[in-house]
Amino acid sequence: MDSPQAGRDGAARALLRRETRALRRQVLPPILFGAGALLAAIGGAWLVAGLLATLLGHGASGWGALAAAAALAVLGAGLALAQERAQLAAGEAARARLRDAAFARLLALGPADASGVGDRASLVVDRVEVLDGYFARWIPAAALAMLGPPLVCAAVAWADAGSGVILGLAGLLYPVAMALTGIGAAQASRRQFEALGRLSGRFLDRMRGLPTLVLFNRQEAEAEALGTAATELRGHTMKVLRVAFLSGTALELLAGGVLACLAWRHRDLLGGGADPTAAIFSLLMVPAFFAPLRGFAAAYQDRLQAAGAASALAPLLEAGEPEGLRLEAIPPRVVVTFTDVRLSYDPARPPALDGLSFRANSGETLVLAGPSGAGKSSVLRILMGFARPEAGRVAINGQDALALRPEELRRLSAYVGQTPHLFRATLRENIRFARPDATAGQVEAAARAARVLDFAEALPDGLDTLVGEGG
């Protein structure tokens, strides 16, 4: 394995370990509920085995045993339902935590981020969504796969030592079967996820630029390129599914072999003499023994996909916090000074800014004019902390602005783009979007300063009028 890939895999594992520790309160309840359901299944199986032995002429019948078995069945079903709900809650908590962290990092990077819009959308939507399965299904399944089979094996060995040995050998053979059928599974899953990310990003970026593609008569070429990417994704997906089907088949063959061995061992079940309770219990415990392993096999794909998603998320989330000072208070008046500022995006191309100097006093309106590519947007990126100049000085009220953290710079500025976006919310909520803690008086003052009240007061609901997505 090449060194860069090994580094990405290590970062992905570190990310998953850190998030698992942070979400341990969410992932522990599904494990406990699953273990409780397994214990209820063991107790119920023993009672059912005793009832069946009674029907075969051994032991004493009793309504109490039947009622206890029914109660354990209901308890097990309730614990299984609670486990599913706890798994959903763990997945939701993981998605919320990871999306908050990803959005915070993307906001810190800003529009100067080199990745495309499609790649970023795929990162915070698709890849975070995949990690839901890791925390909601894989972690509980892995824990129960280590806890459940030994527990069932011990219970069966207590009832019949030979049957316990057979189940123990099956448990030892299961990792071997998984290893033989899952060779190359991690690499196949990672390639599938990389192909999915490329296709998602390319599709979204091309949809956004569709008018330009049509203008230059490139729509057919891009359609062919998307078709090639889709074919590549289909091939990688089929490889992943092949691994999943092979692992499931190996588990079913192993379960069938164990059941056949136990049936052969207890072939004289109906023959007479001995109490068949232990034999019936051993046979009833075969599904309970393999149930955690089936859950483990089903969730193994979630683990593989999570590894691929984490390797893409790790470079974003592992990036260090930006350095800089924080503002004690926002100054009421601001004077901005640029002195011989230089900024380059690509060493092979001319700099976007080269020796720019100007001064904007408080209350003064400054217009930056120039052709496309002259550096107007670069000035705004520097003022909002999305870019750092290579040389020169940027001062706010005579102090070095670059000593502040990027988010502190953004607190000092308000930006209205060429095509501002309104969300599907009320006018008041749209105004409060940049500062959620703003009071009603501050919102009204901002609306008055922006001349929003000039038309909002004529609306039936005023600032509480609902506007649609995009205005």
Side-chain angles (χ1 to χ4, degrees), residues 7-364:
R8 287 193 294 270
D9 291 344
R13 289 192 293 268
L15 170 63
L16 293 175
R17 284 195 298 268
R18 187 183 69 246
E19 294 301 318
T20 301
R21 288 193 297 269
L23 294 166
R24 57 182 177 273
R25 291 187 178 181
Q26 284 76 25
V27 299
L28 185 59
I31 299 173
L32 296 178
F33 288 135
L38 184 60
L39 289 174
I42 293 174
W46 179 256
L47 293 174
V48 169
L51 292 172
L52 292 177
T54 299
L55 294 178
L56 294 174
H58 297 270
S61 63
W63 291 104
L66 181 61
L72 286 175
V74 173
L75 176 62
L79 289 173
L81 180 61
Q83 179 187 6
E84 291 182 4
R85 292 187 174 181
Q87 287 178 330
L88 291 176
E92 291 175 0
R95 292 199 307 270
R97 175 182 169 84
L98 288 167
R99 281 210 175 100
D100 287 345
F103 276 122
R105 290 301 304 154
L106 288 175
L107 181 61
L109 291 174
D113 183 13
S115 61
V117 175
D119 290 339
R120 284 180 282 179
S122 175
L123 198 65
V124 299
V125 176
D126 298 332
R127 307 208 175 192
V128 171
E129 196 72 24
V130 166
L131 287 172
D132 170 274
Y134 182 85
F135 297 98
R137 293 182 292 275
W138 164 253
I139 294 179
L144 291 174
M146 292 187 293
L147 177 66
L151 188 62
V152 173
C153 189
V156 172
W158 172 78
D160 180 68
S163 299
V165 171
I166 294 174
L167 285 178
L169 291 176
L172 295 177
L173 287 174
Y174 175 72
V176 178
M178 285 291 292
L180 292 176
T181 58
I183 293 175
Q187 186 177 10
S189 181
R190 181 169 59 247
R191 288 176 177 173
Q192 182 222 14
F193 225 87
E194 290 173 353
L196 176 61
R198 286 194 298 269
L199 178 60
S200 301
R202 189 184 186 98
F203 182 78
L204 181 55
D205 287 335
R206 296 318 182 261
M207 288 298 296
R208 289 168 60 89
L210 189 58
T212 304
L213 293 175
V214 174
L215 180 63
F216 289 94
N217 197 26
R218 292 288 302 169
Q219 63 271 24
E220 295 296 335
E222 286 301 326
E224 292 179 3
L226 286 173
T228 301
T231 302
E232 179 189 5
L233 174 62
R234 182 166 60 249
H236 290 304
T237 301
M238 294 307 297
K239 290 180 181 178
V240 173
L241 291 177
R242 183 165 62 245
V243 172
F245 286 132
L246 284 175
S247 62
T249 302
L251 180 61
E252 294 303 325
L253 288 175
L254 191 59
V258 169
L259 193 60
C261 290
L262 290 179
W264 176 260
R265 172 177 172 77
H266 302 293
R267 59 189 179 278
D268 56 346
L269 180 64
L270 300 176
D275 185 0
T277 302
I280 297 175
F281 176 70
S282 300
L283 293 172
L284 291 177
M285 279 290 94
V286 173
F289 179 83
F290 284 99
L293 298 179
R294 285 192 179 92
F296 178 86
Y300 189 67
Q301 288 302 120
D302 293 316
R303 185 257 179 192
L304 294 179
Q305 292 179 349
S311 65
L313 275 171
L316 177 68
L317 299 182
E318 296 291 339
E321 290 293 327
E323 298 179 356
L325 303 175
R326 294 187 179 276
L327 290 170
E328 294 184 1
I330 297 177
R333 294 180 180 273
V334 172
V335 177
V336 178
T337 306
F338 273 52
T339 306
D340 294 328
V341 173
R342 176 185 173 88
L343 174 64
S344 297
Y345 296 108
D346 186 354
R349 303 178 62 183
L353 300 175
D354 192 5
L356 177 65
S357 299
F358 67 84
R359 179 184 177 90
N361 294 314
S362 178
E364 185 179 55

